Amino acid sequence: MFNPLPLNQWLNAPRPDDTPVAWSGDRRWTLGELRYDAHALMARLQQQEGERWALCFDDSYLFIVALLATLHAGKTPVLPGHSRESQLDEQKALFSGVLSDRTLNVSGRLLVVSSACRRATTFTPLPLIDDDRVIELFTSGSTGVPERIGKTIAQLDQEARLLAARFGERIEGCSVVSSVVPQHLYGLTFRIVLPMALGLVLHTAMLAYAEQLAALEGDKRYLFISSPAFLKRLDPQLAPPPVAVLVSAGGVLEWAAACETQRWLGLWPDEIYGSSETGVLAWRYRQAEANLWQPFPGVIFTRDNDALRVSSPLIDADGVLLDDRLQFADNGQFSIVGRRGRVVKIEEKRISLNEIEQRLLALDGIREAAALPVTRGGRQGIGVLLVLSDAARQRSSKTQILAWRRALRPWLEPVAIPRYWRIVDEMPVNSMNKRVYAQLQELFHEDP
């Protein structure tokens, strides 16, 4: 249990073909089937030109097939973080083609991946994957341009070892279910890498509703990989499933939601703090509102001007500047006291305010745009202030806003589409011609 299988040995290690890997309903996939499917896709990819392939999947088993086939073929898996056709076309220079479990209307090469539902009579080991091979992910950068992040196989293996040491026997024998996608690092690490490294069977579909969680078979012990947004929407009237360990990450879990979760499932959540750039940094077992975060072994925070720089066994030598502001106790534990910069988290999604502004400025009739987070009734959304052209000011604002919202949908996450809109004659600025966001916030204190 404490010696996770390295990623480059998931298929080549001498394990029985009938080892269970994944399930969905009554369907079960075995290691033998995974070996066959990955080998077949690897052979297809070896015949394709191009180094970089985008992985756009809903099904976790097929995601694993594509991930392993790409790596064993000597290619680079690219995780765009979404499957939106418009944005894939916009980002097509970032990859040579797309692998998906469904037909997408994208320009360029698309390989649709499925399972052959068979296994080879004899197994031929696949080509080795070097530890320095990279999986590329994308996250919102402070400039609004998606930021490319490379994770080596060695870093993912080290992260699996850290998590195995942390959770130990608590997750042994668990079946893994999740409400997060594998295209971001949290989902990749906890929904894919950790189960495969520890030999845990994983559910192929993402749980979108509490009803799906409650409907899980009662004869298993579950490791549930969740987000705070999902836990806020639990229905305590449903029958609780046998969840043995609950992990939450992607944002801070509100104490009220943690308590409601404990009342329903009978266990407190384990929270993970980290980011796509850093990997896991700290954890806490949330049994009290003021519980502090405990850094993982080897994680070191140092002051860098007005920010913090973090280093760890999962981070390259230069370390990473944090978007978050932390407050430390004498024992090295810490609390999170805010964020800096132009990237905010809403419903556990990293949202680039700069990107929203750029998308708005590309729309007809908008001359200036300012985006900022707005909190109403305990719920956070995006608010925007707009300066319009003369022609746009003559049109109905409600009709305009509906049209602008529709125009933004192909480009932005649903939670990034502005909820609150204000039209102003000119953008408020200070004497240095800089926007003062506290002043901008005041314009959203009450509905017009």
Side-chain angles (χ1 to χ4, degrees), residues 118-293:
R118 58 180 294 190
R119 65 187 188 189
T121 53
T122 59
F123 174 67
T124 303
L126 281 77
L128 292 177
I129 302 171
D130 294 333
D131 283 347
D132 59 1
R133 292 292 301 175
V134 170
I135 298 174
E136 291 188 354
L137 305 95
F138 287 84
T139 187
S140 295
S142 59
T143 64
V145 178
E147 180 183 347
R148 181 184 297 171
I149 299 168
K151 295 293 177 181
T152 66
I153 301 306
Q155 287 173 321
L156 293 174
D157 287 341
Q158 175 65 13
E159 193 162 27
R161 289 192 290 270
L162 283 174
L163 295 173
R166 164 69 191 132
F167 290 104
E169 296 178 357
R170 292 174 59 201
I171 61 175
E172 188 170 9
C174 282
S175 298
V176 181
V177 295
S178 176
S179 68
V180 298
V181 298
Q183 284 87 358
H184 298 286
L185 187 64
Y186 173 43
L188 176 66
T189 299
F190 283 83
R191 184 176 170 182
I192 304 296
V193 176
L194 186 63
M196 291 295 294
L198 298 180
L200 306 180
V201 184
L202 59 93
H203 194 247
T204 66
M206 185 182 81
L207 303 182
Y209 307 104
E211 289 80 0
Q212 295 170 303
L213 180 63
L216 292 171
E217 299 170 359
D219 60 349
K220 297 182 174 69
R221 295 172 63 250
Y222 294 101
L223 165 60
F224 178 34
I225 307 304
S226 184
S227 69
F230 187 95
L231 298 179
K232 293 176 191 174
R233 300 191 293 266
L234 292 180
D235 183 354
Q237 303 303 314
L238 297 170
V243 174
V245 178
L246 165 62
V247 177
S248 175
V252 178
L253 179 63
E254 295 177 3
W255 176 237
C259 292
E260 190 66 25
T261 299
Q262 195 279 331
R263 283 191 289 269
W264 188 53
L265 292 177
L267 80 164
W268 293 101
D270 286 87
E271 287 187 87
I272 299 293
Y273 172 64
S275 70
S276 297
E277 295 87 347
T278 65
V280 298
L281 293 176
W283 58 270
R284 64 178 177 180
Y285 185 55
R286 193 73 179 283
Q287 293 179 288
E289 183 172 8
N291 278 161
L292 298 179
W293 295 92

Side-chain angles (χ1 to χ4, degrees), residues 73-96:
K75 311 283 188 177
T76 298
V78 178
L79 309 186
H82 64 88
S83 298
R84 294 188 292 277
E85 294 167 341
S86 298
Q87 202 160 356
L88 288 172
D89 275 342
E90 186 181 65
Q91 297 173 337
K92 61 185 178 182
L94 300 175
F95 37 79
S96 312

Side-chain angles (χ1 to χ4, degrees), residues 317-331:
D318 291 339
V320 172
L321 279 176
L322 293 179
D323 290 330
D324 292 316
R325 293 184 292 113
L326 310 181
Q327 182 174 315
F328 289 86
D330 292 340
N331 61 3

Side-chain angles (χ1 to χ4, degrees), residues 310-360:
V310 62
S311 60
S312 86
L314 307 178
I315 302 173
D316 294 335
D318 291 339
V320 172
L321 279 176
L322 293 179
D323 290 330
D324 292 316
R325 293 184 292 113
L326 310 181
Q327 182 174 315
F328 289 86
D330 292 340
N331 61 3
Q333 298 180 354
F334 62 87
S335 57
I336 303 169
V337 296
R339 291 179 68 79
R340 62 182 189 87
R342 295 279 290 153
V343 177
V344 298
K345 276 195 175 180
I346 296 180
E347 296 241 349
E348 291 67 61
K349 299 284 188 180
R350 285 167 55 100
I351 305 300
S352 167
L353 300 176
N354 287 4
E355 181 183 14
I356 295 172
E357 292 172 0
Q358 291 169 9
R359 297 297 182 188
L360 287 166

Side-chain angles (χ1 to χ4, degrees), residues 416-432:
I417 294 176
R419 178 181 295 271
Y420 310 105
W421 301 71
R422 296 289 185 271
I423 310 299
V424 294
D425 292 330
E426 59 182 15
M427 196 65 67
V429 294
N430 62 13
S431 60
M432 299 295 291

Side-chain angles (χ1 to χ4, degrees), residues 3-177:
N3 294 297
L5 195 64
L7 189 152
N8 59 18
Q9 290 298 309
W10 289 0
L11 296 181
N12 287 341
R15 294 186 292 163
D17 270 351
D18 60 0
T19 301
V21 171
W23 94 96
S24 179
D26 294 332
R27 178 71 171 93
R28 302 291 188 269
W29 284 267
T30 65
L31 179 60
E33 290 171 294
L34 177 60
R35 285 168 166 160
Y36 184 93
D37 290 333
H39 195 284
L41 180 57
M42 180 195 72
R44 290 176 67 189
L45 286 170
Q46 287 174 329
Q47 302 303 311
Q48 298 285 330
E49 294 182 358
E51 159 74 10
R52 304 154 59 77
W53 288 81
L55 275 55
C56 300
F57 288 83
D58 291 329
D59 184 286
S60 284
Y61 171 78
L62 294 177
F63 176 89
I64 295 169
V65 170
L67 179 72
L68 292 173
T70 307
L71 290 168
H72 281 291
K75 311 283 188 177
T76 298
V78 178
L79 309 186
H82 64 88
S83 298
R84 294 188 292 277
E85 294 167 341
S86 298
Q87 202 160 356
L88 288 172
D89 275 342
E90 186 181 65
Q91 297 173 337
K92 61 185 178 182
L94 300 175
F95 37 79
S96 312
V98 176
L99 303 175
S100 182
D101 49 6
R102 62 195 185 282
T103 301
L104 296 173
N105 184 23
V106 293
S107 60
R109 282 175 291 174
L110 169 70
L111 298 184
V112 178
V113 180
S114 61
S115 175
C117 300
R118 58 180 294 190
R119 65 187 188 189
T121 53
T122 59
F123 174 67
T124 303
L126 281 77
L128 292 177
I129 302 171
D130 294 333
D131 283 347
D132 59 1
R133 292 292 301 175
V134 170
I135 298 174
E136 291 188 354
L137 305 95
F138 287 84
T139 187
S140 295
S142 59
T143 64
V145 178
E147 180 183 347
R148 181 184 297 171
I149 299 168
K151 295 293 177 181
T152 66
I153 301 306
Q155 287 173 321
L156 293 174
D157 287 341
Q158 175 65 13
E159 193 162 27
R161 289 192 290 270
L162 283 174
L163 295 173
R166 164 69 191 132
F167 290 104
E169 296 178 357
R170 292 174 59 201
I171 61 175
E172 188 170 9
C174 282
S175 298
V176 181
V177 295

